[in-house]
Amino acid sequence: KQTISSFHFPANIEVHTRYLDELIIVNIHHKKFARVLTNIMRNSVEAMPNGGKLTIHVRHHASNVIIDIKDTGTGIPEEVQDRLFEPFNSTKPNHEGLGLAYSYNEIISAGGNLSIVSERSKGTTVTISLPVKRKLDIKK
């Protein structure tokens, strides 16, 4: 929540979030996870230069926490989708192409998975799955 709420979203981006009512503990350092989320949210914002909708949905499924980050942006060209997690691979000019490679490696190192589904002119959904180490109920 903190990483998402501290991210500066442009005024033309409509943000929708849905979180769990429990605290989920996973095996990834919070600063690394914050960087992963920031990389993905930045990519989403950059894919919507004329505005759009960003939805972040956190859910618990079996023994994993699943985070879906969906944008209504331009989508990723099909011809580069199989190389998204390779370092120095970018579809954007003046970008190093390290954000998704870093993000993928950190999530895989934590025992999770990161996948991307994208359709040109319709948007992209990034799904992060991490195994739950422990969960705690949050009292409201």
Side-chain angles (χ1 to χ4, degrees), residues 88-99:
F88 308 109
N89 178 44
S90 180
T91 61
K92 299 175 270 185
N94 303 317
H95 282 256
E96 295 176 349
L98 296 174

Side-chain angles (χ1 to χ4, degrees), residues 28-43:
I28 188 169
H29 190 277
H30 69 277
K31 287 185 180 181
K32 289 180 179 185
F33 190 62
R35 184 171 170 195
V36 167
L37 288 178
T38 299
N39 287 339
I40 294 167
M41 290 185 300
R42 185 180 306 113
N43 285 346

Side-chain angles (χ1 to χ4, degrees), residues 8-34:
H8 181 272
F9 292 99
N12 65 350
I13 304 291
E14 183 182 332
V15 180
H16 296 268
T17 57
R18 191 163 73 207
Y19 302 109
L20 295 170
D21 290 334
E22 53 195 354
L23 178 63
I24 302 289
I25 299 172
V26 293
N27 281 325
I28 188 169
H29 190 277
H30 69 277
K31 287 185 180 181
K32 289 180 179 185
F33 190 62

Side-chain angles (χ1 to χ4, degrees), residues 48-118:
M48 300 184 286
N50 299 317
K53 181 177 173 182
L54 181 68
T55 304
I56 302 168
H57 179 200
V58 182
R59 56 195 164 92
H60 186 220
H61 178 72
S63 60
N64 292 302
V65 63
I66 312 291
I67 301 128
D68 295 308
I69 303 166
K70 180 179 175 138
D71 67 56
T72 58
T74 55
I76 301 167
E78 204 172 305
E79 61 272 11
V80 299
Q81 288 185 21
D82 60 342
R83 299 187 319 270
L84 289 176
F85 304 126
E86 293 177 10
F88 308 109
N89 178 44
S90 180
T91 61
K92 299 175 270 185
N94 303 317
H95 282 256
E96 295 176 349
L98 296 174
L100 280 178
Y102 170 85
S103 299
Y104 180 80
N105 287 331
E106 288 302 328
I107 296 300
I108 295 299
S109 294
N113 190 39
L114 189 150
S115 62
I116 298 177
V117 175
S118 186

